[in-house]
């Protein structure tokens, strides 16, 4: 019970601090969808997955740094293990990309017709963006070359999901789940080493 309340407090506080940026990205996603108003579902799904992945990397990288430093100090004092803190922090970029892609698909539905924008490709764009944002979180607890490697790895994950989508949609969903799970585990372990008080 205490883990849930502390985890929700961490996620809510970070999301509140981050709310303005989420709204800006959501507005950009809506504009991007409006620019694709005459596209078919495949083009919309591709655009949403790629835009959502870039937004997820941005949201993930914004979880560390000067603006979040005081929150990080509070989180280190929380009665939680690193994996619990990692799950709470991972909710923030995931919710950010869900909000941004919701704006994208609402505008796409208005311009292209709601009946044409239903099904697995829409859900896959959300799953892809969430998986990429979780993988990108691993870059926030590393510096130098390894940070760049994890950012590049997040981009590679997005590319693999997009390539898998057209021939094998179930495989793309499976890859999203595997990438997100491994990314979250890696982030929790790295967070424990980075912030010794949490681990």
């Amino acid at each position: 019970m205490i883990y849930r309340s502390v985890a929700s407090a961490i996620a809510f506080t970070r999301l509140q601090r981050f709310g303005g940026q989420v709204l800006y990205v959501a507005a950009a996603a809506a504009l991007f969808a409006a620019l694709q108003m005459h596209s078919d579902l495949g083009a919309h799904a591709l655009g949403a997955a790629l835009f959502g992945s870039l937004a997820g990397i941005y949201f993930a990288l914004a979880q560390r740094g000067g603006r979040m430093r005081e929150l990080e100090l509070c989180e280190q004092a929380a009665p939680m293990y690193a994996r619990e803190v990692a799950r709470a922090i991972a909710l923030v970029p995931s919710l950010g990309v869900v909000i941004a892609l919701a704006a994208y698909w609402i505008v796409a539905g208005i311009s292209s017709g709601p009946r044409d924008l239903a099904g697995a490709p829409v859900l896959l764009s959300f799953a892809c963006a969430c998986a990429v944002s979780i993988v990108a979180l691993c870059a926030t607890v590393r510096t130098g070359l390894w940070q760049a490697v994890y950012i590049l790895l997040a981009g590679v994950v997005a590319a693999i999901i997009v390539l898998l989508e057209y021939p094998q949609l179930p495989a793309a969903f499976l890859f999203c789940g595997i990438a997100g799970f491994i990314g979250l585990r890696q982030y929790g372990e790295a967070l424990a080493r980075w912030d010794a008080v949490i681990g």
Side-chain angles (χ1 to χ4, degrees):
M1 186 72 168
I2 191 169
Y3 285 162
R4 288 180 193 161
S5 61
V6 175
S8 61
I10 289 172
F12 178 76
T13 305
R14 280 180 173 265
L15 193 60
Q16 190 177 31
R17 177 72 60 90
F18 204 52
Q21 296 175 59
V22 172
L23 292 178
Y24 285 131
V25 174
L31 177 61
F32 185 57
L35 293 174
Q36 291 184 296
M37 68 171 60
H38 299 298
S39 301
D40 60 359
L41 176 59
H44 274 299
L46 177 63
L50 294 179
F51 184 90
S53 297
L54 289 174
I57 292 171
Y58 167 71
F59 287 151
L61 294 178
Q63 295 310 303
R64 283 252 176 205
R67 297 187 62 193
M68 297 290 183
R69 186 58 191 154
E70 66 274 14
L71 293 178
E72 291 167 13
L73 293 173
C74 293
E75 291 161 6
Q76 289 175 19
M80 300 174 73
Y81 292 107
R83 63 180 177 271
E84 303 289 341
V85 176
R87 288 178 200 151
I89 295 174
L91 279 175
V92 180
S94 298
L95 287 173
V97 294
V98 165
I99 292 168
L101 288 180
Y104 177 96
W105 286 114
I106 288 169
V107 172
I110 292 170
S111 59
S112 300
R115 56 178 169 59
D116 297 328
L117 299 178
V122 175
L123 295 176
L124 183 63
S125 67
F126 285 95
C128 174
C130 289
V132 169
S133 67
I134 291 171
V135 172
L137 274 174
C138 295
T140 64
V141 287
R142 291 172 172 86
T143 56
L145 178 62
W146 280 110
Q147 186 176 51
V149 165
Y150 273 94
I151 294 171
L152 181 62
L153 183 61
V156 170
V157 166
I160 291 172
I161 292 168
V162 168
L163 291 174
L164 284 173
E165 175 183 2
Y166 293 102
Q168 292 292 331
L169 193 59
F173 276 108
L174 180 63
F175 187 78
C176 283
I178 292 171
F181 176 76
I182 292 174
L184 191 57
R185 291 279 303 214
Q186 288 290 315
Y187 180 58
E189 291 174 7
L191 198 62
R193 292 193 298 269
W194 183 278
D195 293 323
V197 177
I198 297 178

